[in-house]
Amino acid sequence: MKTTYDEKRGYRIHLYKTDKFKQTTIKISLKEPIKKENITKRSLLYNVLFSSSKKYNSERKINIRKEELYSMNLQFLNNRIGNYLNTTLTIKCLDEKYTEKGILEQSISLLSDLLLDPLIEDNHFRKDKVDLYKEKMKTRLSTLKEDAPLYAAIRAKEVYDDSVLSYRVIGYIEDIDPLNEYNLYEYYKEMIKTNIIDFYVVGNIELEEIESYIDKYFSKLFNNSSNPDNYELNTKITNEKSYTETINNEQSILIILSKLDKPTYYERYYVSSFLSYILGGGTSSKLFNIIREQESLCYYINSNYRMFDNVLSINSGIDNTNYKKAVKLIKKIIKDIQNGNISEEEINNCKTLINNDFDAIDENAASIINYMIDVDTLKLDELDKRREKINKVTKEEIVNLSKKIKIQNIYLLEGVKND
Amino acid sequence: MISKKINKIDLTYYYEQLSNGFKIYYLNVPNKKEYMVTLVTKYGSNNNEFNVNNKAYKKPLGIAHFLEHKNFEQESGEKPFEFYEKSGSMVNASTSFDYTAYYCAGTTNFKENLEYLLKFVSEPYYTDENVEKEQGIIAQELKMYNDNPEEILVRTLRESVFHNKPVKYDIGGTVDTIKEITKEDLYDCYNTFYSPNNMYLVITGNFDKDEAHNIIMKSNYATKNNVEFKLPEIKENDKVVVKNKTITGDIAVDKLLIGIKINRDTLGKTDDKEKRLYIKIIENLLFGRTSEFLEEAHLNNLFTYFEQYTSKVDNYTVLILNAITTEKDKLLKKIEQTLENIKIDESSFERIKKVLLADYIKGSESVEEMNFDLMMDELENEEIEDNYYETVKNLDYSTLLNILNKIDFTNKSVIIMEKNN
């Protein structure tokens, strides 16, 4: 896997060259330390930015252009990686073998138009565009409660504390009004100048060729930001709390948030995978087998651990009358693991699963890019080292880590319809 | 075994049919480590009424989906989920209106995984206890859907468009109907619809087809006998049931769902597969991301969210428009105006053809997408579409206009969901 970084440039290019795919994938990532006051701005910005450019001044024109480029696929997304806010713009274009010469370069040129050549007037964005997206964003955010599992996942963190962990990456309605065509454009300029910028490329292309295109179309990007050493959130441990709010639904959503008390790097990035898998990782996990299969309390139940956040989350949909029973059973399952109730089979299944996932990294462009992000950007171990460490994880280590589970918040979005 | 090259995407599929009618499709996808196997019965939520040996059966709604859950129960107590997880593979199933599919996927243990799929689906084990246990689980699944306003809206549209087609009922039934289901009901349905001549297998990705063939020949599907059944003929009126309906929901912003009901048999002599493509193109050109309609409605802030798609129910296609809007009256008016004054130019038509062709090639590198495509080809056409590329290339503008003229765009149901006060 070949990666380059040239100090002269304001960005790094990561390439995985392969002839396995019929498409070339390019992902641009722009990252900055997360600040609550920038989240809504960022969300509005990318909607305004990626819906027009100077050359293609409407969404329709961009869409027509994408279709002309053999149905080029374009996606943009805001997310949070630890304490960084990350905006990505991804294109997928059909290999020139199936199209015509020059399509890749033209696609990269469109990408550059969107990011670096926006539709502006007198040093600001167009007011009508900004106002339109402000209205759309307000309406969209006002419908959040209709997706109960998502709403509950956000609220479980929000009612717990006000740290970075609780930030709504989708934005805040109350932050929309102060935004306008001027301050949004200022923020845009700052983003281009200060953000950490990476290009991840997967396709049948030589490094020199992709570098020449990116250098040609992104020469306006020049900044001195370097990749940070650490993305981890600092998390404090508090006492167990519980919080209930109601919704006019048939089903209740239960979310139990836990933290691990001072896990080591090895525990956080390796042993935790086993703990989360054995607890609620799949259809043979303890939570699934007991809460769903034995007790018929739910249709879905799962757990996941976010390494950079150090948060273990258990999610399920239940009847409100079963709330106490479910919480009691879940606590008992955790206690059982702490008492060493883990079989060698569970551990081996998890090792097999993780090794299979490693083997399958090069099966698709998205997982290759995620791997490049892990290794090149987030400084996680390379594959060989990961394999070695995963295969050595022991029952004792998993049990020891499970003893570090500290339940922080037991959140219930209580469905009270039919009560 | 018959082999056929699929035009333009550099893939070849193999096909065979056993003496009892069981069909198998094999398709290797190069450069892949993964494989996917899907075992399908042409039995879904639509088929709760049937006739065997002149005896008529009527089963509770939602039984096909219930059966899908229960087929994971084994007499030995072994759990299919655990069997597949041991090798880091996956297994799951899904129920639709007209099929039930069981699938497994992985990168290792192909032989064992295929063998086990054919075994566990063909050895049902239903008891009063395990049926009762499942009622609690499925009730939670149905409640989860009931809490989603989009689901309520789509359900209302299905009821408003179709008079008699069973797609007007939810796939999973209701919390009340699933309570009526007994183990005897499950066996009746299983024994009828899980016959080899009503089933087929699709294998795509990285595998050895001779090895696969040998496993299948040793499985229950090579020797199982068929039960012949009859399905009632369902007459459907071409007109929609209800033109306008307003419901309320716990929502913050109004929702709009429109279904235009088209009987493809009334669209002239063009091949049915081509008719479906023409309708898809029309849908895109009138309401898709490059349509004038969408641009104008967007600039006037007539929606927060808008999508358009088609849904096929036997010889009907429903062209569906789905929106979240604070301006439902203006949006509706705009849609009406668009439908009354349809303009489609030839260059846009050619551009959408290019999109269909490009998307087809893109999809062909996915083991999962190819598996799904083959599965749907057999379900809908009883053969694999191996000439899609040429078919799309040969679609012509005058036929499009001809079909466009035959569609009655006034034959539609308009469902509005308003917020509760």
Side-chain angles (χ1 to χ4, degrees):
Chain A
M1 198 159 284
K2 196 172 171 189
T3 296
T4 65
Y5 176 47
D6 188 333
E7 290 294 337
K8 282 184 301 223
R9 297 196 190 98
Y11 47 83
R12 281 158 298 172
I13 299 171
H14 313 260
L15 169 71
Y16 182 77
K17 183 183 183 307
T18 171
D19 60 3
K20 270 179 77 164
F21 306 121
K22 293 175 178 170
Q23 301 176 77
T24 303
T25 306
I26 302 174
K27 184 192 272 267
I28 307 182
S29 149
L30 300 105
K31 286 193 290 291
E32 66 181 28
I34 192 164
K35 285 187 200 137
K36 197 174 180 182
E37 64 268 25
N38 280 350
I39 294 175
T40 312
K41 214 188 268 181
R42 183 95 165 187
S43 189
L44 179 64
L45 174 65
Y46 81 60
N47 277 300
V48 170
L49 203 56
F50 303 148
S51 63
S52 60
S53 73
K54 197 185 275 173
K55 197 165 166 190
Y56 305 100
N57 65 7
S58 73
E59 263 189 277
R60 179 168 183 241
K61 284 183 185 151
I62 291 172
N63 287 331
I64 288 175
R65 183 65 189 146
K66 276 156 50 183
E67 293 189 346
E68 287 167 353
L69 293 167
Y70 292 85
S71 191
M72 180 188 111
N73 185 298
L74 174 100
Q75 281 183 323
F76 45 91
L77 176 80
N78 253 359
N79 67 353
R80 179 175 65 78
I81 305 178
N83 48 6
Y84 279 76
L85 184 58
N86 181 34
T87 297
T88 60
L89 188 54
T90 309
I91 61 165
K92 275 173 159 290
C93 45
L94 199 54
D95 199 278
E96 290 179 0
K97 180 180 162 193
Y98 300 97
T99 58
E100 53 191 282
K101 193 141 182 50
I103 289 295
L104 179 64
E105 185 175 349
Q106 290 176 52
S107 302
I108 292 171
S109 160
L110 175 59
L111 193 57
S112 162
D113 282 337
L114 292 172
L115 188 65
L116 299 176
D117 202 11
L119 186 59
I120 46 170
E121 306 174 326
D122 306 330
N123 224 14
H124 60 77
F125 285 121
R126 264 185 36 191
K127 185 178 183 332
D128 56 343
K129 296 255 177 203
V130 173
D131 287 348
L132 179 63
Y133 281 101
K134 277 170 74 174
E135 284 311 308
K136 285 194 189 251
M137 198 171 159
K138 270 186 213 171
T139 323
R140 200 175 57 242
L141 291 178
S142 72
T143 62
L144 179 62
K145 237 180 164 170
E146 289 165 30
D147 185 345
L150 175 68
Y151 175 77
I154 289 171
R155 290 292 292 160
K157 290 174 187 158
E158 247 171 26
V159 300
Y160 165 68
D161 75 0
D162 56 3
S163 72
V164 171
L165 186 65
S166 73
Y167 292 177
R168 290 187 182 190
V169 182
I170 53 167
Y172 297 87
I173 287 191
E174 58 273 24
D175 289 351
I176 296 176
D177 272 338
L179 300 174
N180 58 45
E181 60 279 18
Y182 296 98
N183 56 26
L184 202 63
Y185 188 59
E186 288 308 310
Y187 178 65
Y188 163 72
K189 286 192 290 187
E190 189 189 309
M191 175 179 91
I192 295 297
K193 213 154 71 186
T194 63
N195 274 205
I196 305 153
I197 297 167
D198 290 274
F199 288 81
Y200 302 94
V201 183
V202 176
N204 191 13
I205 189 165
E206 296 298 334
L207 184 65
E208 292 68 28
E209 193 185 354
I210 191 74
E211 275 182 342
S212 73
Y213 293 146
I214 293 176
D215 287 348
K216 179 173 168 189
Y217 291 101
F218 290 88
S219 60
K220 279 189 197 168
L221 282 180
F222 46 90
N223 66 42
N224 295 315
S225 59
S226 54
N227 192 38
D229 294 330
N230 190 1
Y231 285 85
E232 283 175 15
L233 279 190
N234 289 320
T235 53
K236 283 197 302 271
I237 308 278
T238 58
N239 291 329
E240 181 182 313
K241 293 177 205 170
S242 58
Y243 190 95
T244 296
E245 61 185 300
T246 59
I247 188 167
N248 190 24
N249 276 357
E250 291 181 25
Q251 193 176 58
S252 301
I253 314 270
L254 172 66
I255 296 184
I256 300 183
L257 294 180
S258 302
K259 284 181 182 170
L260 302 178
D261 194 5
K262 299 187 197 73
T264 62
Y265 176 90
Y266 171 68
E267 286 178 325
R268 195 160 169 158
Y269 294 96
Y270 291 100
V271 189
S272 67
S273 306
F274 288 81
L275 180 57
S276 175
Y277 170 81
I278 290 167
L279 180 63
T283 45
S284 56
S285 69
K286 293 188 189 293
L287 288 173
F288 187 89
N289 267 327
I290 296 169
I291 310 290
R292 172 176 148 143
E293 294 294 300
Q294 277 178 29
E295 302 289 334
S296 304
L297 295 185
C298 65
Y299 170 65
Y300 74 89
I301 184 157
N302 54 59
S303 70
N304 67 78
Y305 177 70
R306 288 186 58 130
M307 292 167 179
F308 290 105
D309 293 353
N310 183 29
V311 170
L312 177 74
S313 171
I314 296 169
N315 306 293
S316 185
I318 56 171
D319 265 349
N320 58 355
T321 48
N322 290 325
Y323 168 60
K324 282 195 174 136
K325 187 176 177 188
V327 171
K328 203 172 152 194
L329 282 166
I330 291 169
K331 283 186 169 175
K332 189 177 171 297
I333 291 166
I334 294 173
K335 191 96 209 152
D336 268 4
I337 294 177
Q338 289 167 338
N339 287 334
N341 183 12
I342 298 174
S343 66
E344 281 307 314
E345 197 187 351
E346 284 171 301
I347 297 170
N348 288 333
N349 285 354
C350 186
K351 282 184 185 170
T352 308
L353 185 77
I354 294 175
N355 279 301
N356 282 358
D357 283 350
F358 288 161
D359 288 339
I361 286 176
D362 60 0
E363 284 280 281
N364 67 67
S367 55
I368 292 171
I369 289 178
N370 282 338
Y371 178 73
M372 291 197 274
I373 293 173
D374 280 355
V375 174
D376 291 349
T377 306
L378 305 177
K379 306 277 192 278
L380 301 183
D381 291 334
E382 287 189 26
L383 200 51
D384 290 347
K385 205 166 174 186
R386 281 195 212 175
R387 264 188 215 280
E388 194 190 310
K389 287 187 177 170
I390 282 292
N391 288 330
K392 279 188 192 156
V393 170
T394 65
K395 176 177 165 181
E396 196 188 355
E397 289 167 343
I398 304 166
V399 172
N400 282 342
L401 184 62
S402 76
K403 290 177 182 160
K404 295 185 178 182
I405 296 176
K406 304 285 176 211
I407 293 180
Q408 300 290 288
N409 189 19
I410 301 173
Y411 172 87
L412 183 73
L413 180 62
E414 187 180 5
V416 292
K417 210 180 218 168
N418 306 337
D419 267 11
Chain B
M1 212 182 281
I2 298 164
S3 83
K4 259 188 155 176
K5 201 167 175 285
I6 306 180
N7 192 14
K8 195 71 185 176
I9 55 175
D10 312 326
L11 297 174
T12 299
Y13 77 88
Y14 292 81
Y15 162 76
E16 65 180 328
Q17 185 167 25
L18 308 186
S19 56
N20 60 9
F22 189 70
K23 289 179 181 174
I24 307 130
Y25 293 99
Y26 308 89
L27 177 86
N28 283 120
V29 182
N31 293 322
K32 291 286 175 185
K33 293 172 187 161
E34 62 191 326
Y35 59 82
M36 181 169 182
V37 184
T38 309
L39 177 60
V40 190
T41 163
K42 295 178 178 177
Y43 163 61
S45 62
N46 287 346
N47 312 118
N48 66 317
E49 286 181 47
F50 53 94
N51 205 304
V52 178
N53 291 330
N54 293 323
K55 190 180 167 196
Y57 294 84
K58 186 175 180 178
K59 299 297 181 185
L61 293 172
I63 191 159
H65 172 252
F66 203 102
L67 196 62
E68 172 229 298
H69 274 238
K70 275 342 294 167
N71 276 341
F72 282 77
E73 207 79 54
Q74 299 295 288
E75 189 171 6
S76 63
E78 192 172 32
K79 296 189 170 108
F81 284 130
E82 289 181 4
F83 177 88
Y84 286 94
E85 283 206 16
K86 260 181 224 154
S87 62
S89 314
M90 65 83 68
V91 65
N92 216 328
S94 70
T95 307
S96 185
F97 293 111
D98 49 4
Y99 69 88
T100 308
Y102 299 81
Y103 48 93
C104 68
T107 52
T108 59
N109 286 50
F110 172 75
K111 184 177 176 289
E112 294 79 0
N113 286 349
L114 171 61
E115 217 165 58
Y116 195 72
L117 186 76
L118 297 169
K119 180 178 180 298
F120 92 78
V121 180
S122 63
E123 294 176 357
Y125 178 67
Y126 316 132
T127 64
D128 292 333
E129 295 74 41
N130 72 30
V131 168
E132 195 192 330
K133 181 198 93 179
E134 209 63 30
Q135 278 158 350
I137 297 171
I138 295 178
Q140 285 305 321
E141 185 179 359
L142 300 181
K143 286 178 182 183
M144 180 175 83
Y145 302 141
N146 286 344
D147 286 339
N148 183 344
E150 301 283 342
E151 292 275 347
I152 308 293
L153 202 59
V154 171
R155 178 188 302 164
T156 311
L157 183 71
R158 285 190 265 107
E159 290 165 353
S160 305
V161 167
F162 290 105
H163 296 261
N164 302 318
K165 293 276 179 194
V167 297
K168 64 184 187 170
Y169 304 114
D170 279 350
I171 291 168
T174 70
V175 174
D176 290 328
T177 63
I178 60 162
K179 277 185 197 149
E180 298 166 18
I181 294 172
T182 64
K183 71 167 197 268
E184 288 75 22
D185 288 329
L186 295 175
Y187 277 115
D188 284 344
C189 291
Y190 182 88
N191 291 331
T192 306
F193 293 109
Y194 283 65
S195 287
N197 65 355
N198 197 43
M199 295 181 78
Y200 59 103
L201 188 70
V202 178
I203 312 176
T204 57
N206 174 31
F207 64 96
D208 180 326
K209 75 172 186 315
D210 295 326
E211 185 181 46
H213 169 82
N214 290 336
I215 294 165
I216 296 158
M217 293 314 288
K218 283 183 204 148
S219 77
N220 291 333
Y221 290 98
T223 51
K224 245 179 120 172
N225 291 324
N226 292 310
V227 171
E228 300 302 329
F229 60 86
K230 273 194 191 135
L231 296 175
E233 200 181 318
I234 295 166
K235 289 220 161 61
E236 177 66 24
N237 184 329
D238 281 354
K239 296 285 171 206
V240 297
V241 185
V242 181
K243 289 217 155 200
N244 295 286
K245 191 166 188 175
T246 301
I247 55 177
T248 59
D250 283 304
I251 51 173
V253 183
D254 295 339
K255 293 177 193 289
L256 179 65
L257 192 66
I258 298 176
I260 301 166
K261 187 180 184 183
I262 304 163
N263 179 352
R264 292 191 309 281
D265 294 343
T266 64
L267 301 181
K269 288 203 169 98
T270 313
D271 173 72
D272 192 55
K273 269 183 274 179
E274 289 176 22
K275 283 180 189 166
R276 280 185 254 154
L277 285 168
Y278 281 114
I279 295 174
K280 194 179 158 83
I281 292 174
I282 290 168
E283 161 230 308
N284 263 290
L285 289 171
L286 293 184
F287 299 104
R289 60 186 182 172
T290 54
S291 65
E292 280 170 28
F293 159 81
L294 200 75
E295 168 144 283
E296 285 165 27
H298 164 66
L299 290 176
N300 290 305
N301 200 17
L302 300 189
F303 62 81
T304 304
Y305 175 81
F306 188 91
E307 66 170 351
Q308 91 294 337
Y309 57 95
T310 50
S311 171
K312 177 183 168 287
V313 177
D314 303 333
N315 55 322
Y316 291 91
T317 292
V318 186
L319 196 166
I320 297 170
L321 309 175
N322 178 22
I324 300 176
T325 173
T326 53
E327 297 279 2
K328 60 175 185 293
D329 296 333
K330 285 185 189 164
L331 181 62
L332 254 173
K333 204 172 155 198
K334 182 88 205 153
I335 290 169
E336 293 289 359
Q337 283 168 352
T338 305
L339 292 174
E340 280 162 21
N341 184 22
I342 291 174
K343 285 178 298 189
I344 286 181
D345 63 86
E346 195 167 357
S347 67
S348 305
F349 169 68
E350 291 299 329
R351 195 184 62 244
I352 299 289
K353 277 169 63 177
K354 190 171 165 181
V355 169
L356 292 180
L357 296 175
D359 289 348
Y360 178 61
I361 296 172
K362 287 181 182 179
S364 71
E365 66 177 17
S366 160
V367 170
E368 203 179 317
E369 267 185 59
M370 287 314 293
N371 197 290
F372 185 76
D373 285 354
L374 262 56
M375 177 180 95
M376 293 312 284
D377 279 351
E378 164 59 32
L379 189 73
E380 293 183 346
N381 311 320
E382 302 205 327
E383 63 179 10
I384 300 306
E385 172 61 278
D386 49 23
N387 208 25
Y388 181 86
Y389 200 86
E390 286 302 314
T391 307
V392 171
K393 256 181 121 173
N394 292 334
L395 297 177
D396 75 289
Y397 185 59
S398 60
T399 312
L400 176 93
L401 295 180
N402 192 8
I403 285 182
L404 197 55
N405 279 330
K406 292 197 167 84
I407 298 176
D408 174 10
F409 287 100
T410 65
N411 187 28
K412 60 182 186 296
S413 300
V414 176
I415 315 298
I416 293 167
M417 184 185 265
E418 290 178 342
K419 53 186 167 188
N420 284 334
N421 290 320

